[in-house]
Amino acid sequence: MANVELHVAPRTVVGKKVAALRRGGVTPANVFGHSIESQSVQVDTAVLTHLLRGMTRNAIINLKVEGEPAHRTVVVRDLTRDSVT
C-alpha cells in the first residue's frame, strides 16, 4: 500500500468563525495524539475530498504541516459529514 501525503497549514481561526472557512472551500481539522500537543490545521476541501475517496478507511497518511521540518504519520479517526447536504 502506498503512503499518501497531505499538505496542511496551521489554523488560527477557531470557534464559530470556521464557518467562513468552510464557505471559502477550506476544511478545518485537528491533529492530536499520545504525547503530542493538539494542533488546529486547515486543508483545501477539494484536495481532502479527493484524498479520502481514493483510500481505505484505515490508511496511513503522511501529514506535512507548513513550517514543520518533518511530516507526521496520521490515521483519520473521525469524519463528520452533514447528512442533508
Side-chain angles (χ1 to χ4, degrees):
M1 177 165 74
N3 286 345
V4 181
E5 188 166 316
L6 179 63
H7 295 275
V8 298
R11 175 171 52 102
T12 57
V13 178
V14 294
K16 293 183 178 183
K17 296 179 182 180
V18 297
L21 287 177
R22 290 187 185 105
R23 284 191 297 269
V26 176
T27 301
N30 292 314
V31 179
F32 58 92
H34 181 69
S35 72
I36 64 168
E37 184 177 325
S38 178
Q39 183 177 15
S40 299
V41 295
Q42 63 187 20
V43 61
D44 183 36
T45 301
V47 172
L48 184 62
T49 302
H50 180 71
L51 177 91
L52 292 175
R53 285 185 180 166
M55 62 182 233
T56 60
R57 181 169 170 83
N58 57 353
I60 296 173
I61 301 171
N62 291 327
L63 190 71
K64 180 66 177 154
V65 180
E66 288 179 11
E68 290 186 5
H71 71 273
R72 294 183 183 193
T73 305
V74 299
V75 176
V76 177
R77 178 175 180 210
D78 188 24
L79 180 65
T80 306
R81 296 181 190 218
D82 188 1
S83 60
V84 175
T85 60

